Amino acid sequence: MAALRQNYLTAKHVHQGRALAVVKANAYGHGAVTCAQALADSADGFAVALMSEALELRQAGITRPILVLEGCFDVQELQDSFANSIWVAVHQGSQINMFAGCDLPSASIHVWLKVDSGMHRAGFPLSEVSDAYARLAACPAVASITLMSHFARADEPDEAATAEQIEAFELATQHLPGARSLCNSAGVLAWPSAKRDWARPGILLYGANPLPASYLEQHPEHKLLPVMCLQSEVFAVKTLQPGEALGYGGTFIAEQPTRVGLVALGYADGYPRSAPTGTPVAIDGQPSRLIGRVSMDMLNVDLTSLPEAGIGSRVELWGPQIDINTVAQCANTIAYELLCNVKRVQRIYTGK
């Protein structure tokens, strides 16, 4: 949790403005309530995807502002937002209609109006932003309107699409009052021209790099600390002879006598089945590799060059020594998915 707090402060320092800590999807697999509690004294507020996630935080005693990024799905959720002082995004006309037809006290809900500046997922088209803003402003229940957008390719620092989105957002909102919010994690770290009143850091809070490794090597001041260490231990050891195959599908065939450690963790725990032989691991702090196919409850590691390792040896799958982005790249996925998929494992929190 100390690493989580430090990463949040890094985002604040780089962005030089207020920041909502994004704790949606159970804080990207880290535990939303525990993470929000750890940030409760430092975060300007929080952001989640769904109203149910916001209510969980309120019920756990989180009092800071909470923004629901997908907004209200029905009138009941709109009433919940009022009853629990929850901010909501509005990204389509039906949500404005809910506000227009609701019977809530005047100036009771803070709204974030989402502009589609080029991602073409959620948000009002540029040509409709002014009208949507005017309709919202006319709703008595609306207390304030913050203008927001979301980047599609901010994790590609050399790609022009983000600069184009910033320009499109500015043109569509230039005559509209209110605070602004553009930066996701990659925006905070790589796009100073996108700095506005609010940032919305997500993946960077958990120490996973949203940008190419080469970029952060050039910007050591943006150093992130891994929050999660996924680890298990060796519970059995055997030696393969040359020519012997290992595990399902026989995808690994020993070319020399190979000492194998069987580790109590598999894809049912969230480690990717697609991780191939050669994916890095650390065993008792020493570098090694995954060998063979990942099973539901077990995986295999190479102990050949580690004669001191054996039953009970600690195995780090990702964390301070093994960069989760490297594991994700080996498995042909992204760190976000790996973190969100972690389950069944025992969770131990330190530095609360």
Side-chain angles (χ1 to χ4, degrees):
M1 295 297 96
L4 177 71
R5 286 188 287 268
Q6 183 58 51
N7 292 337
Y8 176 81
L9 293 176
T10 295
K12 284 265 293 183
H13 174 73
V14 174
H15 185 257
Q16 300 176 345
R18 291 172 290 178
L20 296 178
V22 180
V23 293
K24 64 181 181 176
N26 199 30
Y28 294 47
H30 292 71
V33 169
T34 303
C35 289
Q37 290 171 339
L39 291 170
D41 293 335
S42 52
D44 298 311
F46 299 93
V48 295
L50 307 172
M51 185 62 66
S52 59
E53 294 176 323
L55 295 177
E56 179 186 29
L57 296 184
R58 282 285 185 258
Q59 290 162 6
I62 300 300
T63 59
R64 298 275 178 150
I66 303 172
L67 171 66
V68 176
L69 293 165
E70 293 184 14
C72 298
F73 292 168
D74 53 39
V75 173
Q76 179 59 56
E77 290 196 347
L78 186 58
Q79 293 170 344
D80 289 339
S81 69
F82 162 69
N84 294 276
S85 300
I86 293 169
W87 301 355
V88 295
V90 168
H91 55 79
Q92 58 182 327
S94 62
Q95 292 174 324
I96 298 180
N97 294 339
M98 270 194 281
F99 271 96
C102 72
D103 183 19
L104 293 174
S106 296
S108 58
I109 300 180
H110 294 277
V111 174
W112 286 45
L113 178 63
K114 190 164 190 176
V115 177
D116 179 6
S117 60
M119 188 169 184
H120 304 314
R121 188 178 64 176
F124 288 93
L126 300 173
S127 61
E128 298 178 17
V129 171
S130 293
D131 179 65
Y133 187 101
R135 289 180 61 202
L136 267 177
C139 296
V142 174
S144 68
I145 300 174
T146 297
L147 293 152
M148 68 180 296
S149 193
H150 193 59
F151 293 138
R153 302 179 70 176
D155 56 349
E156 302 174 68
D158 298 325
E159 170 57 48
T162 300
E164 293 169 359
Q165 282 194 252
I166 296 170
E167 182 179 5
F169 176 85
E170 286 302 310
L171 289 173
T173 63
Q174 59 185 330
H175 301 302
L176 302 176
R180 266 74 168 157
S181 176
L182 289 178
C183 285
N184 56 2
S185 290
V188 167
L189 297 173
W191 294 93
S193 61
K195 294 178 182 178
R196 297 296 185 273
D197 303 279
W198 288 92
R200 307 184 309 275
I203 192 69
L204 77 76
L205 296 178
Y206 310 102
N209 176 10
L211 297 163
S214 58
Y215 182 87
L216 285 190
E217 288 173 1
Q218 298 168 16
H219 297 272
E221 72 277 13
H222 295 171
K223 180 177 175 59
L224 304 174
L225 305 175
V227 173
M228 180 190 292
C229 179
L230 181 66
Q231 64 183 53
S232 185
E233 64 181 46
V234 174
F235 72 94
V237 177
K238 66 168 52 182
T239 299
L240 296 180
Q241 297 304 318
E244 291 185 331
L246 175 65
Y248 287 119
T251 59
F252 175 82
I253 300 175
E255 296 180 353
Q256 60 185 8
T258 302
R259 193 161 169 263
V260 179
L262 190 59
V263 179
L265 188 135
Y267 61 75
D269 304 290
Y271 193 82
R273 182 178 180 272
S274 56
T277 291
T279 301
V281 300
I283 302 172
D284 291 336
Q286 300 301 310
S288 187
R289 60 174 182 153
L290 182 77
I291 53 175
R293 183 171 291 171
V294 176
S295 303
M296 181 180 290
D297 312 297
M298 295 175 277
L299 53 81
N300 306 284
V301 295
D302 191 347
L303 303 181
T304 307
S305 63
L306 302 172
E308 301 300 319
I311 293 175
S313 286
R314 177 182 178 273
V315 180
E316 179 182 310
L317 288 311
W318 62 68
Q321 287 187 278
I322 303 299
D323 184 355
I324 190 172
N325 289 285
T326 301
V327 179
Q329 186 176 22
C330 290
N332 196 30
T333 185
I334 55 176
Y336 302 71
E337 184 176 31
L338 297 185
L339 293 171
C340 289
N341 281 349
V342 173
K343 52 189 179 296
R344 193 170 71 167
V345 300
Q346 179 186 11
R347 294 169 183 270
I348 302 170
Y349 293 92
T350 62
K352 291 183 180 181

